[in-house]
PDB file of all heavy atoms in Angstrom:
ATOM      1  N   SER A  16       5.736 -18.318  -1.145  1.00 89.00           N
ATOM      2  CA  SER A  16       4.687 -19.034  -1.873  1.00 89.00           C
ATOM      3  C   SER A  16       3.305 -18.448  -1.580  1.00 89.00           C
ATOM      4  O   SER A  16       2.459 -18.386  -2.469  1.00 89.00           O
ATOM      5  CB  SER A  16       4.728 -20.535  -1.559  1.00 89.00           C
ATOM      6  OG  SER A  16       4.398 -20.780  -0.221  1.00 89.00           O
ATOM      7  N   MET A  17       3.075 -17.995  -0.348  1.00 89.00           N
ATOM      8  CA  MET A  17       1.797 -17.354  -0.021  1.00 89.00           C
ATOM      9  C   MET A  17       1.654 -16.034  -0.773  1.00 89.00           C
ATOM     10  O   MET A  17       0.574 -15.721  -1.280  1.00 89.00           O
ATOM     11  CB  MET A  17       1.674 -17.121   1.481  1.00 89.00           C
ATOM     12  CG  MET A  17       1.548 -18.381   2.299  1.00 89.00           C
ATOM     13  SD  MET A  17       0.089 -19.354   1.883  1.00 89.00           S
ATOM     14  CE  MET A  17      -1.180 -18.343   2.589  1.00 89.00           C
ATOM     15  N   LEU A  18       2.708 -15.248  -0.837  1.00 91.00           N
ATOM     16  CA  LEU A  18       2.662 -13.974  -1.552  1.00 91.00           C
ATOM     17  C   LEU A  18       2.443 -14.178  -3.045  1.00 91.00           C
ATOM     18  O   LEU A  18       1.873 -13.321  -3.717  1.00 91.00           O
ATOM     19  CB  LEU A  18       3.942 -13.174  -1.321  1.00 91.00           C
ATOM     20  CG  LEU A  18       4.136 -12.622   0.087  1.00 91.00           C
ATOM     21  CD1 LEU A  18       5.542 -12.059   0.249  1.00 91.00           C
ATOM     22  CD2 LEU A  18       3.094 -11.568   0.408  1.00 91.00           C
ATOM     23  N   MET A  19       2.880 -15.322  -3.551  1.00 91.00           N
ATOM     24  CA  MET A  19       2.733 -15.596  -4.971  1.00 91.00           C
ATOM     25  C   MET A  19       1.374 -16.196  -5.310  1.00 91.00           C
ATOM     26  O   MET A  19       0.887 -16.022  -6.425  1.00 91.00           O
ATOM     27  CB  MET A  19       3.861 -16.510  -5.441  1.00 91.00           C
ATOM     28  CG  MET A  19       5.213 -15.828  -5.366  1.00 91.00           C
ATOM     29  SD  MET A  19       6.584 -16.903  -5.792  1.00 91.00           S
ATOM     30  CE  MET A  19       6.426 -16.948  -7.566  1.00 91.00           C
ATOM     31  N   ALA A  20       0.743 -16.875  -4.354  1.00 90.00           N
ATOM     32  CA  ALA A  20      -0.494 -17.592  -4.647  1.00 90.00           C
ATOM     33  C   ALA A  20      -1.751 -16.937  -4.093  1.00 90.00           C
ATOM     34  O   ALA A  20      -2.851 -17.199  -4.579  1.00 90.00           O
ATOM     35  CB  ALA A  20      -0.394 -19.024  -4.106  1.00 90.00           C
ATOM     36  N   LYS A  21      -1.613 -16.096  -3.103  1.00 90.00           N
ATOM     37  CA  LYS A  21      -2.773 -15.535  -2.408  1.00 90.00           C
ATOM     38  C   LYS A  21      -2.711 -14.010  -2.410  1.00 90.00           C
ATOM     39  O   LYS A  21      -1.682 -13.419  -2.687  1.00 90.00           O
ATOM     40  CB  LYS A  21      -2.812 -16.007  -0.940  1.00 90.00           C
ATOM     41  CG  LYS A  21      -2.805 -17.502  -0.746  1.00 90.00           C
ATOM     42  CD  LYS A  21      -4.118 -18.083  -1.138  1.00 90.00           C
ATOM     43  CE  LYS A  21      -4.110 -19.592  -0.868  1.00 90.00           C
ATOM     44  NZ  LYS A  21      -5.316 -20.225  -1.280  1.00 90.00           N
ATOM     45  N   THR A  22      -3.834 -13.406  -2.052  1.00 91.00           N
ATOM     46  CA  THR A  22      -3.874 -11.974  -1.783  1.00 91.00           C
ATOM     47  C   THR A  22      -3.736 -11.804  -0.282  1.00 91.00           C
ATOM     48  O   THR A  22      -4.469 -12.426   0.481  1.00 91.00           O
ATOM     49  CB  THR A  22      -5.193 -11.354  -2.265  1.00 91.00           C
ATOM     50  OG1 THR A  22      -5.278 -11.529  -3.680  1.00 91.00           O
ATOM     51  CG2 THR A  22      -5.270  -9.879  -1.934  1.00 91.00           C
ATOM     52  N   VAL A  23      -2.806 -10.962   0.145  1.00 93.00           N
ATOM     53  CA  VAL A  23      -2.497 -10.805   1.557  1.00 93.00           C
ATOM     54  C   VAL A  23      -2.930  -9.417   2.025  1.00 93.00           C
ATOM     55  O   VAL A  23      -2.740  -8.430   1.326  1.00 93.00           O
ATOM     56  CB  VAL A  23      -0.975 -10.990   1.806  1.00 93.00           C
ATOM     57  CG1 VAL A  23      -0.612 -10.736   3.253  1.00 93.00           C
ATOM     58  CG2 VAL A  23      -0.543 -12.383   1.370  1.00 93.00           C
ATOM     59  N   LEU A  24      -3.507  -9.378   3.224  1.00 94.00           N
ATOM     60  CA  LEU A  24      -3.843  -8.118   3.877  1.00 94.00           C
ATOM     61  C   LEU A  24      -2.875  -7.947   5.041  1.00 94.00           C
ATOM     62  O   LEU A  24      -2.881  -8.745   5.979  1.00 94.00           O
ATOM     63  CB  LEU A  24      -5.287  -8.127   4.381  1.00 94.00           C
ATOM     64  CG  LEU A  24      -5.712  -6.927   5.239  1.00 94.00           C
ATOM     65  CD1 LEU A  24      -5.620  -5.630   4.440  1.00 94.00           C
ATOM     66  CD2 LEU A  24      -7.126  -7.147   5.773  1.00 94.00           C
ATOM     67  N   PHE A  25      -2.043  -6.922   4.973  1.00 95.00           N
ATOM     68  CA  PHE A  25      -1.091  -6.623   6.039  1.00 95.00           C
ATOM     69  C   PHE A  25      -1.766  -5.667   7.027  1.00 95.00           C
ATOM     70  O   PHE A  25      -2.201  -4.585   6.644  1.00 95.00           O
ATOM     71  CB  PHE A  25       0.176  -5.973   5.482  1.00 95.00           C
ATOM     72  CG  PHE A  25       0.975  -6.874   4.581  1.00 95.00           C
ATOM     73  CD1 PHE A  25       0.820  -6.828   3.206  1.00 95.00           C
ATOM     74  CD2 PHE A  25       1.894  -7.762   5.113  1.00 95.00           C
ATOM     75  CE1 PHE A  25       1.571  -7.648   2.374  1.00 95.00           C
ATOM     76  CE2 PHE A  25       2.651  -8.592   4.298  1.00 95.00           C
ATOM     77  CZ  PHE A  25       2.477  -8.535   2.918  1.00 95.00           C
ATOM     78  N   VAL A  26      -1.839  -6.087   8.278  1.00 94.00           N
ATOM     79  CA  VAL A  26      -2.455  -5.271   9.325  1.00 94.00           C
ATOM     80  C   VAL A  26      -1.437  -5.125  10.450  1.00 94.00           C
ATOM     81  O   VAL A  26      -0.855  -6.111  10.904  1.00 94.00           O
ATOM     82  CB  VAL A  26      -3.739  -5.929   9.869  1.00 94.00           C
ATOM     83  CG1 VAL A  26      -4.361  -5.078  10.961  1.00 94.00           C
ATOM     84  CG2 VAL A  26      -4.733  -6.182   8.754  1.00 94.00           C
ATOM     85  N   GLY A  27      -1.229  -3.897  10.898  1.00 91.00           N
ATOM     86  CA  GLY A  27      -0.324  -3.662  12.017  1.00 91.00           C
ATOM     87  C   GLY A  27       1.139  -3.679  11.649  1.00 91.00           C
ATOM     88  O   GLY A  27       1.999  -3.860  12.511  1.00 91.00           O
ATOM     89  N   MET A  28       1.429  -3.489  10.378  1.00 91.00           N
ATOM     90  CA  MET A  28       2.827  -3.475   9.929  1.00 91.00           C
ATOM     91  C   MET A  28       3.149  -2.117   9.336  1.00 91.00           C
ATOM     92  O   MET A  28       2.310  -1.496   8.688  1.00 91.00           O
ATOM     93  CB  MET A  28       3.063  -4.557   8.877  1.00 91.00           C
ATOM     94  CG  MET A  28       2.897  -5.966   9.403  1.00 91.00           C
ATOM     95  SD  MET A  28       3.303  -7.201   8.162  1.00 91.00           S
ATOM     96  CE  MET A  28       5.047  -6.919   7.939  1.00 91.00           C
ATOM     97  N   SER A  29       4.367  -1.674   9.539  1.00 92.00           N
ATOM     98  CA  SER A  29       4.792  -0.400   8.955  1.00 92.00           C
ATOM     99  C   SER A  29       5.180  -0.557   7.485  1.00 92.00           C
ATOM    100  O   SER A  29       5.395   0.421   6.791  1.00 92.00           O
ATOM    101  CB  SER A  29       5.970   0.160   9.738  1.00 92.00           C
ATOM    102  OG  SER A  29       7.091  -0.700   9.598  1.00 92.00           O
ATOM    103  N   MET A  30       5.302  -1.800   7.048  1.00 95.00           N
ATOM    104  CA  MET A  30       5.730  -2.133   5.689  1.00 95.00           C
ATOM    105  C   MET A  30       7.142  -1.627   5.397  1.00 95.00           C
ATOM    106  O   MET A  30       7.462  -1.245   4.283  1.00 95.00           O
ATOM    107  CB  MET A  30       4.737  -1.611   4.647  1.00 95.00           C
ATOM    108  CG  MET A  30       3.347  -2.218   4.766  1.00 95.00           C
ATOM    109  SD  MET A  30       3.308  -4.022   4.727  1.00 95.00           S
ATOM    110  CE  MET A  30       3.820  -4.361   3.054  1.00 95.00           C
ATOM    111  N   THR A  31       7.976  -1.655   6.431  1.00 94.00           N
ATOM    112  CA  THR A  31       9.379  -1.285   6.250  1.00 94.00           C
ATOM    113  C   THR A  31      10.317  -2.450   6.557  1.00 94.00           C
ATOM    114  O   THR A  31      11.535  -2.291   6.461  1.00 94.00           O
ATOM    115  CB  THR A  31       9.755  -0.086   7.150  1.00 94.00           C
ATOM    116  OG1 THR A  31       9.486  -0.414   8.508  1.00 94.00           O
ATOM    117  CG2 THR A  31       8.977   1.161   6.748  1.00 94.00           C
ATOM    118  N   ASP A  32       9.773  -3.602   6.919  1.00 95.00           N
ATOM    119  CA  ASP A  32      10.600  -4.771   7.215  1.00 95.00           C
ATOM    120  C   ASP A  32      11.327  -5.192   5.933  1.00 95.00           C
ATOM    121  O   ASP A  32      10.689  -5.537   4.940  1.00 95.00           O
ATOM    122  CB  ASP A  32       9.717  -5.913   7.723  1.00 95.00           C
ATOM    123  CG  ASP A  32      10.503  -7.162   8.066  1.00 95.00           C
ATOM    124  OD1 ASP A  32      11.490  -7.489   7.368  1.00 95.00           O
ATOM    125  OD2 ASP A  32      10.126  -7.834   9.036  1.00 95.00           O
ATOM    126  N   PRO A  33      12.652  -5.164   5.940  1.00 96.00           N
ATOM    127  CA  PRO A  33      13.394  -5.481   4.715  1.00 96.00           C
ATOM    128  C   PRO A  33      13.140  -6.897   4.202  1.00 96.00           C
ATOM    129  O   PRO A  33      13.207  -7.135   2.993  1.00 96.00           O
ATOM    130  CB  PRO A  33      14.852  -5.278   5.102  1.00 96.00           C
ATOM    131  CG  PRO A  33      14.898  -5.165   6.583  1.00 96.00           C
ATOM    132  CD  PRO A  33      13.534  -4.820   7.054  1.00 96.00           C
ATOM    133  N   ASN A  34      12.841  -7.833   5.084  1.00 95.00           N
ATOM    134  CA  ASN A  34      12.583  -9.203   4.639  1.00 95.00           C
ATOM    135  C   ASN A  34      11.268  -9.303   3.871  1.00 95.00           C
ATOM    136  O   ASN A  34      11.202  -9.967   2.832  1.00 95.00           O
ATOM    137  CB  ASN A  34      12.567 -10.156   5.836  1.00 95.00           C
ATOM    138  CG  ASN A  34      13.932 -10.268   6.468  1.00 95.00           C
ATOM    139  OD1 ASN A  34      14.931 -10.403   5.780  1.00 95.00           O
ATOM    140  ND2 ASN A  34      13.988 -10.180   7.780  1.00 95.00           N
ATOM    141  N   ILE A  35      10.224  -8.653   4.352  1.00 94.00           N
ATOM    142  CA  ILE A  35       8.938  -8.660   3.649  1.00 94.00           C
ATOM    143  C   ILE A  35       9.071  -7.924   2.316  1.00 94.00           C
ATOM    144  O   ILE A  35       8.570  -8.391   1.290  1.00 94.00           O
ATOM    145  CB  ILE A  35       7.831  -8.018   4.518  1.00 94.00           C
ATOM    146  CG1 ILE A  35       7.534  -8.890   5.734  1.00 94.00           C
ATOM    147  CG2 ILE A  35       6.571  -7.771   3.697  1.00 94.00           C
ATOM    148  CD1 ILE A  35       6.929 -10.242   5.417  1.00 94.00           C
ATOM    149  N   ILE A  36       9.763  -6.803   2.334  1.00 96.00           N
ATOM    150  CA  ILE A  36       9.973  -6.030   1.097  1.00 96.00           C
ATOM    151  C   ILE A  36      10.708  -6.882   0.068  1.00 96.00           C
ATOM    152  O   ILE A  36      10.335  -6.922  -1.100  1.00 96.00           O
ATOM    153  CB  ILE A  36      10.757  -4.726   1.382  1.00 96.00           C
ATOM    154  CG1 ILE A  36      10.015  -3.849   2.383  1.00 96.00           C
ATOM    155  CG2 ILE A  36      11.060  -3.978   0.086  1.00 96.00           C
ATOM    156  CD1 ILE A  36       8.628  -3.438   2.002  1.00 96.00           C
ATOM    157  N   ARG A  37      11.736  -7.593   0.521  1.00 95.00           N
ATOM    158  CA  ARG A  37      12.509  -8.462  -0.388  1.00 95.00           C
ATOM    159  C   ARG A  37      11.621  -9.541  -0.984  1.00 95.00           C
ATOM    160  O   ARG A  37      11.655  -9.810  -2.192  1.00 95.00           O
ATOM    161  CB  ARG A  37      13.680  -9.098   0.373  1.00 95.00           C
ATOM    162  CG  ARG A  37      14.559 -10.006  -0.465  1.00 95.00           C
ATOM    163  CD  ARG A  37      15.706 -10.593   0.364  1.00 95.00           C
ATOM    164  NE  ARG A  37      15.288 -11.182   1.621  1.00 95.00           N
ATOM    165  CZ  ARG A  37      14.750 -12.406   1.751  1.00 95.00           C
ATOM    166  NH1 ARG A  37      14.562 -13.157   0.688  1.00 95.00           N
ATOM    167  NH2 ARG A  37      14.412 -12.877   2.930  1.00 95.00           N
ATOM    168  N   LEU A  38      10.768 -10.166  -0.164  1.00 94.00           N
ATOM    169  CA  LEU A  38       9.871 -11.211  -0.655  1.00 94.00           C
ATOM    170  C   LEU A  38       8.845 -10.659  -1.641  1.00 94.00           C
ATOM    171  O   LEU A  38       8.540 -11.297  -2.659  1.00 94.00           O
ATOM    172  CB  LEU A  38       9.169 -11.899   0.521  1.00 94.00           C
ATOM    173  CG  LEU A  38      10.060 -12.739   1.424  1.00 94.00           C
ATOM    174  CD1 LEU A  38       9.280 -13.208   2.647  1.00 94.00           C
ATOM    175  CD2 LEU A  38      10.639 -13.923   0.664  1.00 94.00           C
ATOM    176  N   LEU A  39       8.303  -9.491  -1.342  1.00 95.00           N
ATOM    177  CA  LEU A  39       7.353  -8.869  -2.267  1.00 95.00           C
ATOM    178  C   LEU A  39       8.011  -8.556  -3.605  1.00 95.00           C
ATOM    179  O   LEU A  39       7.416  -8.775  -4.674  1.00 95.00           O
ATOM    180  CB  LEU A  39       6.765  -7.607  -1.645  1.00 95.00           C
ATOM    181  CG  LEU A  39       5.754  -7.833  -0.521  1.00 95.00           C
ATOM    182  CD1 LEU A  39       5.559  -6.560   0.296  1.00 95.00           C
ATOM    183  CD2 LEU A  39       4.430  -8.326  -1.089  1.00 95.00           C
ATOM    184  N   LYS A  40       9.240  -8.078  -3.569  1.00 94.00           N
ATOM    185  CA  LYS A  40       9.976  -7.788  -4.805  1.00 94.00           C
ATOM    186  C   LYS A  40      10.254  -9.075  -5.584  1.00 94.00           C
ATOM    187  O   LYS A  40      10.130  -9.112  -6.810  1.00 94.00           O
ATOM    188  CB  LYS A  40      11.284  -7.062  -4.501  1.00 94.00           C
ATOM    189  CG  LYS A  40      11.088  -5.616  -4.110  1.00 94.00           C
ATOM    190  CD  LYS A  40      12.415  -4.943  -3.802  1.00 94.00           C
ATOM    191  CE  LYS A  40      12.214  -3.488  -3.437  1.00 94.00           C
ATOM    192  NZ  LYS A  40      13.487  -2.816  -3.116  1.00 94.00           N
ATOM    193  N   LYS A  41      10.637 -10.142  -4.867  1.00 92.00           N
ATOM    194  CA  LYS A  41      10.888 -11.435  -5.522  1.00 92.00           C
ATOM    195  C   LYS A  41       9.641 -11.943  -6.226  1.00 92.00           C
ATOM    196  O   LYS A  41       9.704 -12.452  -7.347  1.00 92.00           O
ATOM    197  CB  LYS A  41      11.356 -12.482  -4.499  1.00 92.00           C
ATOM    198  CG  LYS A  41      12.760 -12.307  -4.042  1.00 92.00           C
ATOM    199  CD  LYS A  41      13.688 -12.963  -5.004  1.00 92.00           C
ATOM    200  CE  LYS A  41      15.081 -12.948  -4.401  1.00 92.00           C
ATOM    201  NZ  LYS A  41      16.085 -12.955  -5.432  1.00 92.00           N
ATOM    202  N   ALA A  42       8.491 -11.821  -5.570  1.00 92.00           N
ATOM    203  CA  ALA A  42       7.232 -12.265  -6.172  1.00 92.00           C
ATOM    204  C   ALA A  42       6.952 -11.477  -7.449  1.00 92.00           C
ATOM    205  O   ALA A  42       6.543 -12.046  -8.468  1.00 92.00           O
ATOM    206  CB  ALA A  42       6.086 -12.114  -5.175  1.00 92.00           C
ATOM    207  N   ARG A  43       7.194 -10.170  -7.422  1.00 90.00           N
ATOM    208  CA  ARG A  43       6.988  -9.336  -8.610  1.00 90.00           C
ATOM    209  C   ARG A  43       7.952  -9.731  -9.720  1.00 90.00           C
ATOM    210  O   ARG A  43       7.568  -9.817 -10.890  1.00 90.00           O
ATOM    211  CB  ARG A  43       7.179  -7.857  -8.270  1.00 90.00           C
ATOM    212  CG  ARG A  43       5.964  -7.189  -7.699  1.00 90.00           C
ATOM    213  CD  ARG A  43       4.872  -7.230  -8.722  1.00 90.00           C
ATOM    214  NE  ARG A  43       3.823  -6.302  -8.424  1.00 90.00           N
ATOM    215  CZ  ARG A  43       2.540  -6.591  -8.529  1.00 90.00           C
ATOM    216  NH1 ARG A  43       2.149  -7.768  -8.902  1.00 90.00           N
ATOM    217  NH2 ARG A  43       1.628  -5.697  -8.277  1.00 90.00           N
TER     218      ARG A  43
END
C-alpha cells in the first residue's frame, strides 16, 4: 500500500531483494 500511494526513496539497498522486487512489480 505504501508503494502504491507514496513515493519511496530506497537508501542502503542493493535492490535485489526478491520480495521488494515482487511488490514493486505488483504495484506496476
